[in-house]
Amino acid sequence: METTTRAIGPGNRPLTSNVHGCALVLEGGGYRGAYTAGMVNLLLERGIYFDYACGVSAGSSHAINYISRDQTRVHMAFLGIGDEEPVGGVRSFLRGKGYFNADYLYEGCIRDGFCGFEWETFCANPARLRIQAFEAVTGDTVSFTKDDMPDVWRMINCVRASSTVPVAMHPLPLDGRTFYDGGLGEGAGLPLRLAEQDGYDRFVMFATRPAGYRKKPVSAMGRAVFRRLLGGQPHVLEATLTRPERYNAELDRIAGLEREGQALIIRPDIMPIHNGTLDSGKLQRAYAMGHAQLLRELPRLLDFVGL
């Protein structure tokens, strides 16, 4: 039975979901999200509508964009370009806006119309949503749902909270609390556990690392740098230093779900960019590669979700 909500869109038709009992799980990874943006858009192009999406960091942007069903925004959000304002890079850093210009990446590009947001569609979509952030002072893992998003500005600031990389981005306090990238919290950046907490036991996950990838331990030099930069935030420092082993352990756990037939993990054939890539040409090519890969793998996905 399809879930519906209030009528919206062409012909005043209600929005519906056609994939039930299977969660869409969206890994983060900064601008590696350009690759998985191509996958997310293929779902929308083919009318594949999951009734639940969850994400962390860049995956949280994918999740809200997918629920808004705005193919243009899905495409534009990870192209690394802005109108008048840079989305990041050295120029942004020298202007005091951080290597990633969070003020523009989230609220700014909606306000100036460069990358607007389909708020009415987002609200009307029956799909559930959960994204994750890390609370700096307590070290708690915190998640947000649609219930925490009464308007578009609160929504995009929840996404920013989920995505704020320490040092590289300026955090924006929410309700007097400072949040950083949800990848520092439980799951270490792999958000499948969010769907499990919401009762799901079948998952399609778009990963941003190829098969066989494992994070390397933080080097001695890296530890010294992080202690210098994050020493005043002990929970953030500890989460940063332990993240590689926690991420690898969660990869192994998810691989077990995959072997048992509970999870379909779509991993990039190759990942041609890194999390800080801002070259729009490289990002566009990565987007096209992700789109082409999921097109090849679409029969496998449709069989898994029962469409």
Side-chain angles (χ1 to χ4, degrees):
M1 180 178 178
E2 291 191 326
T3 304
T4 64
T5 188
R6 69 181 178 86
I8 192 169
N12 207 34
R13 293 190 298 270
L15 295 182
T16 63
S17 299
N18 55 13
V19 178
H20 302 282
C22 181
L24 178 62
V25 180
L26 300 156
E27 185 181 5
Y31 276 92
R32 288 192 298 273
Y35 194 102
T36 44
M39 297 182 175
V40 172
N41 244 357
L42 186 65
L43 296 179
L44 295 177
E45 291 165 13
R46 296 303 178 97
I48 302 169
Y49 301 131
F50 286 76
D51 65 3
Y52 179 96
C54 63
V56 168
S57 195
S60 66
S61 290
H62 282 332
I64 63 156
N65 294 341
Y66 173 73
I67 290 176
S68 80
R69 299 192 182 179
D70 185 346
Q71 295 177 37
T72 299
R73 181 177 171 84
V74 170
H75 189 191
M76 293 296 291
F78 286 89
L79 284 190
I81 55 177
D83 192 357
E84 300 295 328
E85 188 80 12
V87 298
V90 175
R91 183 159 65 104
S92 174
F93 182 79
L94 292 176
R95 292 173 64 186
K97 296 179 179 292
Y99 184 81
F100 298 111
N101 182 356
D103 289 343
Y104 187 74
L105 276 172
Y106 299 97
E107 188 171 327
C109 66
I110 295 177
R111 286 196 183 278
D112 73 7
F114 177 75
C115 199
F117 190 82
E118 293 289 342
W119 176 248
E120 288 189 5
T121 305
F122 174 85
C123 293
N125 193 330
R128 298 164 64 199
L129 167 74
R130 190 174 294 276
I131 62 176
Q132 176 173 301
F134 180 84
E135 209 276 326
V137 174
T138 64
D140 291 339
T141 299
V142 178
S143 64
F144 304 109
T145 69
K146 281 184 173 180
D147 290 339
D148 301 300
M149 304 171 183
D151 56 49
V152 67
W153 310 117
R154 176 74 178 198
M155 177 212 69
I156 204 65
N157 284 332
C158 288
V159 174
R160 177 172 172 175
S162 175
S163 308
T164 298
V165 179
V167 181
M169 295 168 68
H170 296 316
L172 180 70
L174 284 177
D175 303 325
R177 304 167 73 190
T178 298
F179 293 98
Y180 283 109
D181 193 300
L184 295 175
E186 296 177 20
L190 296 164
L192 187 142
R193 57 174 290 280
L194 295 175
E196 290 176 313
Q197 290 174 355
D198 282 327
Y200 286 82
D201 59 10
R202 287 176 58 78
F203 319 92
V204 169
M205 187 174 94
F206 291 169
T208 57
R209 294 292 196 177
Y213 171 81
R214 289 294 185 275
K215 285 191 181 296
K216 296 179 180 179
V218 180
S219 67
M221 181 177 292
R223 285 178 174 270
V225 170
F226 284 131
R227 287 193 178 100
R228 182 177 181 83
L229 295 174
L230 302 173
Q233 301 181 92
H235 292 295
V236 179
L237 175 62
E238 176 68 13
T240 299
L241 296 180
T242 62
R243 189 179 173 218
E245 62 186 88
R246 293 186 294 114
Y247 180 92
N248 294 342
E250 184 68 358
L251 273 182
D252 292 339
R253 190 182 76 84
I254 290 172
L257 296 175
E258 187 178 24
R259 288 191 297 271
E260 293 167 6
Q262 290 180 250
L264 173 65
I265 314 300
I266 307 294
R267 302 176 179 85
D269 294 329
I270 61 169
M271 178 49 69
I273 53 177
H274 57 80
N275 62 348
T277 298
L278 292 173
D279 183 295
S280 60
K282 292 179 180 179
L283 295 169
Q284 179 62 53
R285 287 190 288 275
Y287 173 92
M289 290 172 65
H291 189 277
Q293 179 181 344
L294 189 60
L295 184 61
R296 294 193 307 272
E297 301 204 39
L298 194 58
R300 188 161 70 107
L301 185 149
L302 293 175
D303 180 66
F304 186 83
V305 301
L307 290 180

